Amino acid sequence: MSSPAPRTVITFGTFDVFHVGHLKVIERAAALGDRLVVGVSADELNLRKKGREPVFSQGERLAIVAALKPVDEVFVEESLELKRHYIQQYAADVLVMGDDWAGKFDEFGDICEVVYLARTPAISTTALIEKISGGS
Ligand code: CTP
């Protein structure tokens, strides 16, 4: 008898100034399947999406995420419009997003399971940058 196909999970993010909220979402995403693929947003996409350059370049952010034990594969997410393409390209069975995106990706329910995970409270890259640069 053949064994069941491995379950692939895909998630996306900038993962700039890597923090424990990032680690937790990656660990919890990995726990939902057998193989975790992470799309790390391109510098250009981050600039458009968040209105600032990331602190760490896409090459650095990619290297950090790729080095994590629960991560099997990484790629650069070039455009928010390509989610369906990436889900299909990596044959993902599950799409995981933070619940700041709750409901926004339900349209992909026709090709994979869509799971929103609660964000880790009280930490974000934006807050860290403000704190480190001398803000509150
Ligand atoms: N995330 C999380 N808990 C946090 C911060 C982020 O679970 N406290 C998750 C997001 O929901 C997303 C992934 O980590 O699934 C990458 O988020 P990203 O936008 O890169 O990190 P933020 O810290 O939210 O960055 P920013 O402050 O720039 O929005």
Side-chain angles (χ1 to χ4, degrees):
M1 215 169 80
S2 62
S3 51
R7 198 168 132 93
T8 297
V9 181
I10 193 166
T11 193
F12 297 86
T14 307
F15 302 104
D16 190 25
V17 189
F18 197 89
H19 59 68
V20 74
H22 295 151
L23 181 60
K24 284 191 177 167
V25 78
I26 283 173
E27 285 177 338
R28 292 165 68 209
L32 295 175
D34 306 300
R35 169 177 172 252
L36 177 63
V37 179
V38 183
V40 175
S41 59
D43 289 340
E44 176 58 34
L45 172 55
N46 202 66
L47 187 59
R48 270 185 280 139
K49 194 171 65 167
K50 301 197 177 181
R52 61 170 154 74
E53 299 271 7
V55 173
F56 294 109
S57 71
Q58 66 187 50
E60 292 167 332
R61 292 181 287 111
L62 213 70
I64 290 166
V65 174
L68 299 169
K69 225 185 275 181
V71 175
D72 296 289
E73 200 168 337
V74 292
F75 66 94
V76 177
E77 180 188 20
E78 300 285 357
S79 163
L80 295 177
E81 317 308 319
L82 290 174
K83 284 240 168 26
R84 182 172 291 273
H85 164 78
Y86 294 131
I87 292 167
Q88 288 171 329
Q89 183 178 357
Y90 290 96
D93 301 289
V94 189
L95 167 65
V96 171
M97 298 297 297
D99 66 358
D100 39 332
W101 295 98
K104 301 258 169 56
F105 295 98
D106 291 354
E107 66 187 278
F108 303 126
D110 60 339
I111 53 168
C112 66
E113 195 183 319
V114 182
V115 175
Y116 302 98
L117 295 179
R119 284 171 66 91
T120 301
I123 189 161
S124 74
T125 296
T126 305
L128 282 172
I129 291 172
E130 281 171 12
K131 195 168 174 179
I132 294 163
S133 62
S136 56

